[in-house]
Amino acid sequence: MSYPDRPGGRVGRAGRLPELLVPGLLGALILLFFAIPFAAFLARTGAVGVLETLATPEARVAIRNSLLTAPVSTAIATVLGVPLAYVLARRSFPGKRLVEALVILPLIVPPVVGGAMLLTAVGRFTPIGAAAAAAGMPLTDSLLGVILAQTFVAAPFVIITARAGFGAIDERLEQASRSLGYGPLATFWNVSVPLARGAIVAGIVLTFARAIGEFGATMMVAYNPRTMPTRIWVEFIAGGIDAVVPLALALLGITLAVLAAVQRFGRVPTVIDR
Amino acid sequence: MILELEGLRHRYGEELAIEDVSFGLEEGELLGLLGPSGCGKTTIVQAIAGHVRPTAGRVFLRGRDVTGEPPETRRVGIVFQRSTLYPHMTVGENVAYGLVSRDVDPDRRGALVEEYLELVDLHGRREAYPSELSGGQRRRVELARALAPRPDVLVLDEPLSALDRRLRRQLRGEIARIQRETGVTTLVVTHDQEEAMALADRLVVMNAGRVVGVDRPRTLYESPPTPFVASFLGRSNALPATVVGRHPLSVTLGGREVAFDDGPDVPAGTTVSCHVRPEDVSIHPPHVAVPGTDPVLSGEVRHVEDVGRRYDVTVAVETGDELLVETSSDPPAVGDRVAVALSGDRVTVFDDGSSAAETS
């Protein structure tokens, strides 16, 4: 038998536009929009001594602070957010809409406003803030404040992504585990977490990237001590674009390194799982 | 009794899923739970496994009331319609999963995994991942996984529905063999009457959340207790008839008076429905006297369907009803006038008053 007209054959290919031509072209436009500023920014690299700038005490403190705070914020968001994501994926309960709105809230509130909100809750002159400060752990203008700001802004990413991951698991797989003798917690560890791993890891990466780059809320809650983003702002005010380049590159490098490490060890093909 | 359900009822919000469901499984029995989709079968499975707490009623396992117990303390092995093998574990790890939780020591565990993989004829695939197996092999691993912890009862929830016809038939035989070899008390839940009849020692037929018949498959088929069972277990024709006498019940049907040994006890003049299976109806040339006492109706052929090993002939009869007739040879042509004869002893009579409630 022969099918000369089958798709992909000589006849089928002639006189037809590729199916993905239009979406491909539209996508290319937005890619250009991403790529041009990126390339232009990198083109400035030669203008300043990157390593010398990064070696200054101010820059080293900022890098250190960022590397201290962002992993902690990410860990907090993961440890508290993944269980919440599981509950949201598995149960419906009165007020669930409200809980879901609350999860989205930090995403739709501008970070600088989120920072202002945090200040009204834990600022130096609020009961919580005053008590913490009296105990020697001020919640503003401290690394703790940075962590609060980062967690507030970045945690929704891991919650939302993990929730989608848990939601994609057939509940019967968990039921089978229960019938095979495992309680709810063991089933969560043995079945749900491994099966949602891709989504959870993707959420952790997004949260980390968001946390280490957090500026708006951090600026409000803890302008000091400086993190890389707040330091970048200070450099920009003082020295313009070129002054920003070294720390910006370092920030980009750290984020890319974390992404690469996670992809390598987490065996996640892309940020968006399958 | 290994498993016993007592007056089970469950509602999801306002919606009643099951009502007054009671039946039991004897040791080593293979019971079929049969009903159309949406009749409450899944709710029963979930109540047996412990994922749904019934609104009322009780579940007993080996005489112990487990209604309030979580799934992990019941010894119920479950195989669902869709595969629930863990993709991140090998076949061996999947089968061992239910043994680890029950603290079977590692040596014994390994031996049991071998034993059960052998039982399902997959001993060479221990190191494979579920994604490397065919649909039928995955089913068999699931059976091994469910059986390895030696459950009190094995529940198979539509185990073959997701497979193609050939595989379904083959695995049906496998399930029967495995059940025979292990002697495990088994509940097979299905909407496929052929599957249920072929597998089960006894059948529980459900409709609209209620049990409408419990008996051996052959008994249910030959003397269905309700019109629903008659039409759900195989195919059935329903014809209205008028009662002319009681003790014994006799009705006029097709111009003849037919007497029945049993049937509803209703006064003369009542309209009843007579059910007869397509294979118990025969086609004759018109205006030729059919010998015997069987009811005969005249009609016109509406439709002839060649389904391979037989013809399905639809005849519009004088009462205004359509009758489905199976015939193995020489089907009439569409438009032919014919006479159809019903085997009088194969007709089941239902009181219309009660049947209306049961078929709705």
Side-chain angles (χ1 to χ4, degrees), chain B residues 133-146:
Chain B
L133 302 182
S134 70
Q137 287 174 326
R138 280 204 286 269
R139 280 286 81 166
R140 287 188 277 156
V141 176
E142 289 200 78
L143 278 171
R145 187 180 71 179

Side-chain angles (χ1 to χ4, degrees), chain A residues 14 17 31 42 105 113 169 191 201 228 238:
Chain A
L17 287 173
L31 283 177
L42 288 184
L105 191 72
V113 178
I169 303 171
V191 177
V201 168
M228 291 167 80

